[in-house]
Amino acid sequence: MIQDIFPHKFINHYDPSRKAEEGSIILCFSGRKVLISAECFPLLSDLSNVDPEKLIYLFSVDQDKNYFLCTEEPEELPEGFAFEDVKSLRDKDWQHRYRLFVAYTGLQLAEWYRSNRFCGKCGSLTHPDDTERAIRCDSCGRVIYPRIVPAVIVGVLKGDKMLVTKYARGYAHYALVAGFTEIGETLEETVAREVLEETGLTVKNIRYYKSQPWGIVDDLLAGFFCEAVDDEIKMDDTELAVAKWVSREEMVPQPQNDSLTSEMMRMFQEGKVSAKILSEQTVWPSIGDSDNDRNGSDESSGSAITREPFDASYMWQVVNQTRESFKASDDARDAGLTFPENVERMTNIAYGPDDKWQLLDLYWPKYCEESPLPVIISVHGGGWVYGTKETYQYYCTDLAKRGFAVVNFTYRLAPEFQYPSSLEDVNLVCEWVRKNAESFGLDPQNIFGVGDSAGAHLLALHAGFCTNETFAETFPFVKPEGFSWKGIGLNCGVYRIKIDRNDPGRAFGMMQALMPNHGTDEELEMINAEKAVTEHFPPVFLMTADGDFLQQDALDFAAALMKKSVPFSLNFYHGTKGKLGHVFHCDQRLPEAELCNDQECAFFMEQMDHEKIQ
């Protein structure tokens, strides 16, 4: 979509102290037209008659591309530049498509500044605020924020068909039902009302999909899929010229791939969403569902979930205690360790748009002449609520010494980000490895994964996602093209979460943090990794220890692998000086950890395709 500019990063932090320099990029607008040459916006050095002090800082891309707004049309246009309609830029064949997003977002801010030069309350002259992205009137104290208009895009499904529309005027291509949220409405109520008004259809099983900023008209679009109760269309011909059901084969998505509407149409066309998926309560839970629709009907809300009583204070108590105790344990384990001299590293590489959470480090053996290198992707543990790549740096460098390139990454944690965000981040890292293998000397034919505790759970789920089509269909993202796990190592993992609801403990609090509906029975079945196993599951190095409280999980998962004839090696480690605890293999001082990691890497070597990439 238009905002998906990865590997570039959009940075919208407001910094009024930032001043334009010669290399700063200037957005100049004339009405709804932007000054552009080919696909480049002018630099400050291109504009001879512009006063840098009058430029307003807007945002940055990748830290080094700073964009400023010129609030006055330049007296002279630089050579080769002309004003072009921002709307028409969608039809350009962009080499750097993030610039289209820049133009749309820049226009949204330019229109906001232009429309609020005078206070709408007292008529006085306004000015940009000194501390936040706002416009302030000193005369009456009014503060004006950027205009953001909520609207919905609705994919209505019935059986194996989807409802498509064409507007009565304007946009000529097929679209989906859409409309603005009214005063006092929830987004779900907007969905039900708009579909009913435009097509006469009543809907149920309303499921949130994704959102998208659409700056050219100040919109924040929220995409929903839902199921029609019946299929008789009663079209409002003042709004629409066409409203009809189409099959996957008949679907004609919009020509551009930058809109939420087009992506939702393609989701249907490619069989990734259906009325059956909606009705079976997948990982797309309804937003704002309650036990009863607040207007007295359950037809529009589609709530199929029985919620457990949710105590936010208890959940946060569990989360905070977990984070504190796990950190203290990890700090004690790694105290005094230093980065090994025989390993090279690159740090803080972005694999997604979130520059706080979606970062990875890459380690490789310093004196290894082999290229490309087999890859290990490490998925850290931490009860889904704790951990970063820094926590696992010594463990991962220890693996790298054994002849592997090791990817160590941070993923989005609960409860700040709920499932399946963490699994989506695993998938994004796999996509990064596949796309950047040649640039970093990585062997895309030999990609392995290791995960411990909750990380083993996520890795097992992703292995199922990559090999079980039925399981994969329940997710709003897809496997990276050409990606496969050559083998995985599951260390002291949890694979089926069990909760005693009469005696809630840490697991109960973690599930309340992780899952959108706080750990219902239905949700726990959704994340049961044993159910994701098929005969196509990758070979597994499965490990536990004599002091690991998750011993039984390893035995149960081994049984699930055996049932599907999946190759695996079950390894049980005993301590020579007392029992080995949970995730003992991360402790670089333990000889048993060295033995475990040696054997795990040897297992990976046995699975390798040793033919070199030509």
Side-chain angles (χ1 to χ4, degrees):
M1 294 191 288
I2 194 170
Q3 76 274 20
D4 297 330
I5 63 173
F6 180 78
H8 300 286
K9 291 187 291 184
F10 176 66
I11 304 164
N12 65 355
H13 173 67
Y14 182 62
D15 184 2
S17 65
R18 187 168 294 189
K19 302 299 180 185
E21 301 171 347
E22 288 294 295
S24 298
I25 306 167
I26 313 302
L27 296 180
C28 303
F29 293 93
S30 176
R32 300 181 68 80
K33 296 181 178 181
V34 65
L35 190 62
I36 194 169
S37 175
E39 61 174 64
C40 295
F41 306 110
L43 304 179
L44 178 59
S45 56
D46 295 322
L47 301 169
S48 57
N49 296 319
V50 169
D51 182 358
E53 295 299 318
K54 293 184 178 181
L55 299 174
I56 301 174
Y57 172 70
L58 297 178
F59 46 74
S60 299
V61 174
D62 298 337
Q63 299 286 354
D64 60 341
K65 304 176 188 70
N66 300 320
Y67 290 85
F68 290 79
L69 174 65
C70 181
T71 57
E72 298 176 358
E73 191 173 327
E75 295 177 7
E76 270 184 48
L77 300 188
E79 185 176 353
F81 284 84
F83 283 103
E84 292 188 33
D85 191 317
V86 173
K87 190 175 181 179
S88 70
L89 298 182
R90 287 182 72 189
D91 299 324
K92 273 181 175 288
D93 185 16
W94 293 83
Q95 182 180 358
H96 303 286
R97 197 156 184 84
Y98 74 88
R99 292 174 180 166
L100 175 62
F101 179 60
V102 164
Y104 269 47
T105 308
L107 176 61
Q108 181 177 10
L109 288 170
E111 290 283 281
W112 172 63
Y113 279 115
R114 183 164 50 234
S115 300
N116 292 284
R117 288 177 297 170
F118 296 94
C119 177
K121 182 178 180 181
C122 71
S124 300
L125 195 65
T126 62
H127 64 87
D129 191 78
D130 294 332
T131 58
E132 60 179 338
R133 195 186 301 281
I135 294 172
R136 183 173 293 276
C137 174
D138 290 336
S139 297
C140 68
R142 184 172 182 243
V143 180
I144 309 159
Y145 294 99
R147 184 172 181 258
I148 299 175
V149 181
V152 298
I153 306 291
V154 191
V156 184
L157 305 168
K158 183 65 177 175
D160 58 355
K161 295 192 175 183
M162 179 182 247
L163 180 69
V164 296
T165 66
K166 280 189 178 182
Y167 298 125
R169 59 195 69 81
Y171 193 66
H173 299 287
Y174 282 110
L176 302 177
V177 171
F180 296 104
T181 300
E182 298 285 357
I183 295 294
E185 255 184 350
T186 66
L187 293 172
E188 292 82 3
E189 288 167 343
T190 305
V191 168
R193 177 183 54 77
E194 285 289 344
V195 175
L196 183 63
E197 288 178 356
E198 294 189 6
T199 67
L201 295 169
T202 302
V203 296
K204 62 181 181 179
N205 293 336
I206 299 172
R207 301 287 182 261
Y208 172 73
Y209 170 58
K210 272 185 184 179
S211 62
Q212 176 179 42
W214 200 248
I216 195 170
V217 285
D218 303 332
D219 288 353
L220 178 60
L221 305 174
F224 289 84
F225 289 104
C226 61
E227 184 180 1
V229 175
D230 53 47
D231 59 4
E232 183 181 354
I233 298 170
K234 299 175 183 177
M235 187 183 76
D236 178 1
D237 56 13
T238 64
E239 292 276 347
L240 303 175
V242 175
K244 65 178 183 179
W245 298 105
V246 297
S247 65
R248 302 188 196 284
E249 295 73 23
E250 296 167 330
M251 174 60 74
V252 182
Q254 296 174 351
Q256 297 97 346
N257 290 326
D258 49 28
S259 73
L260 177 60
T261 297
S262 185
E263 179 169 305
M264 291 172 68
M265 295 169 86
R266 291 177 192 279
M267 285 281 291
F268 171 75
Q269 185 183 49
E270 295 168 11
K272 296 171 184 173
V273 64
S274 67
K276 184 174 183 290
I277 290 175
L278 297 182
S279 65
E280 289 179 348
Q281 184 58 43
T282 72
V283 294
W284 292 333
S286 295
I287 291 179
D289 277 353
S290 59
D291 293 335
N292 295 291
D293 181 76
R294 67 177 187 161
N295 291 322
S297 167
D298 62 359
E299 286 297 313
S300 63
S301 73
S303 177
I305 296 173
T306 303
R307 274 184 165 77
E308 293 299 319
F310 176 54
D311 183 347
S313 63
Y314 174 75
M315 179 202 74
W316 276 109
Q317 180 183 1
V318 170
V319 169
N320 291 331
Q321 288 178 349
T322 300
R323 289 175 175 176
E324 290 171 9
S325 63
F326 283 18
K327 186 178 189 306
S329 176
D330 289 343
D331 287 348
R333 179 196 66 200
D334 295 340
L337 295 180
T338 58
F339 198 87
E341 294 182 358
N342 57 350
V343 173
E344 300 274 13
R345 63 178 165 179
M346 291 182 66
T347 61
N348 295 325
I349 303 169
Y351 69 85
D354 191 319
D355 59 3
K356 175 185 176 183
W357 297 90
Q358 294 171 324
L359 296 173
L360 63 83
D361 295 347
L362 181 64
Y363 312 128
W364 65 95
K366 191 171 186 178
Y367 303 109
C368 182
E369 296 182 358
E370 182 180 352
S371 181
L373 284 170
V375 184
I376 294 176
I377 298 173
S378 172
V379 187
H380 72 71
W384 307 276
V385 302
Y386 162 82
T388 66
K389 58 186 176 64
E390 284 72 27
T391 313
Y392 277 67
Q393 59 180 320
Y394 299 115
Y395 165 66
C396 288
T397 55
D398 186 63
L399 297 179
K401 291 187 292 186
R402 292 169 166 82
F404 291 85
V406 180
V407 177
N408 175 26
F409 69 101
T410 297
Y411 57 81
R412 290 173 290 175
L413 299 175
E416 289 86 351
F417 299 91
Q418 291 182 310
Y419 185 85
S421 296
S422 50
L423 191 65
E424 182 178 26
D425 285 355
V426 176
N427 197 55
L428 285 172
V429 170
C430 296
E431 183 176 26
W432 183 91
V433 170
R434 194 72 181 84
K435 287 184 176 179
N436 293 278
E438 184 175 354
S439 301
F440 288 89
L442 311 178
D443 185 350
Q445 297 176 5
N446 290 300
I447 300 175
F448 301 92
V450 294
D452 64 273
S453 197
H457 175 247
L458 291 173
L459 180 57
L461 287 176
H462 192 266
F465 168 78
C466 290
T467 55
N468 183 333
E469 290 185 3
T470 303
F471 184 61
E473 285 177 355
T474 65
F475 292 90
F477 46 86
V478 297
K479 183 182 80 168
E481 184 177 354
F483 179 86
S484 64
W485 293 107
K486 199 73 174 179
I488 59 174
L490 303 178
N491 304 314
C492 301
V494 57
Y495 310 106
R496 182 178 182 183
I497 293 89
K498 310 172 192 72
I499 293 176
D500 182 352
R501 302 192 187 278
N502 296 316
D503 183 23
R506 174 176 279 173
F508 184 78
M510 287 178 172
M511 287 301 100
Q512 287 198 327
L514 179 66
M515 301 308 295
N517 293 291
H518 313 304
T520 65
D521 290 341
E522 295 90 345
E523 287 182 320
L524 296 186
E525 279 303 293
M526 278 197 310
I527 59 173
N528 181 354
E530 294 174 14
K531 287 198 165 184
V533 175
T534 68
E535 64 274 17
H536 304 298
F537 205 79
V540 180
F541 181 93
L542 189 62
M543 180 273 279
T544 186
D546 52 1
D548 179 18
F549 65 90
L550 292 176
Q551 277 182 28
Q552 190 60 47
D553 283 72
L555 298 175
D556 291 344
F557 200 71
L561 296 172
M562 190 179 300
K563 185 176 181 181
K564 297 295 183 180
S565 302
V566 176
F568 71 96
S569 171
L570 177 60
N571 302 267
F572 193 94
Y573 292 90
H574 295 268
T576 56
K577 297 180 180 180
K579 290 185 177 182
L580 296 172
H582 185 58
V583 300
F584 74 92
H585 66 297
C586 293
D587 189 340
Q588 300 303 295
R589 295 180 176 88
L590 288 176
E592 294 91 345
E594 183 176 4
L595 174 64
C596 173
N597 295 335
D598 280 343
Q599 291 179 340
E600 191 162 44
C601 288
F603 177 86
F604 291 161
M605 290 290 189
E606 292 172 1
Q607 314 304 320
M608 279 180 54
D609 179 354
H610 292 281
E611 293 184 9
K612 293 295 181 184
I613 299 173
Q614 302 298 320

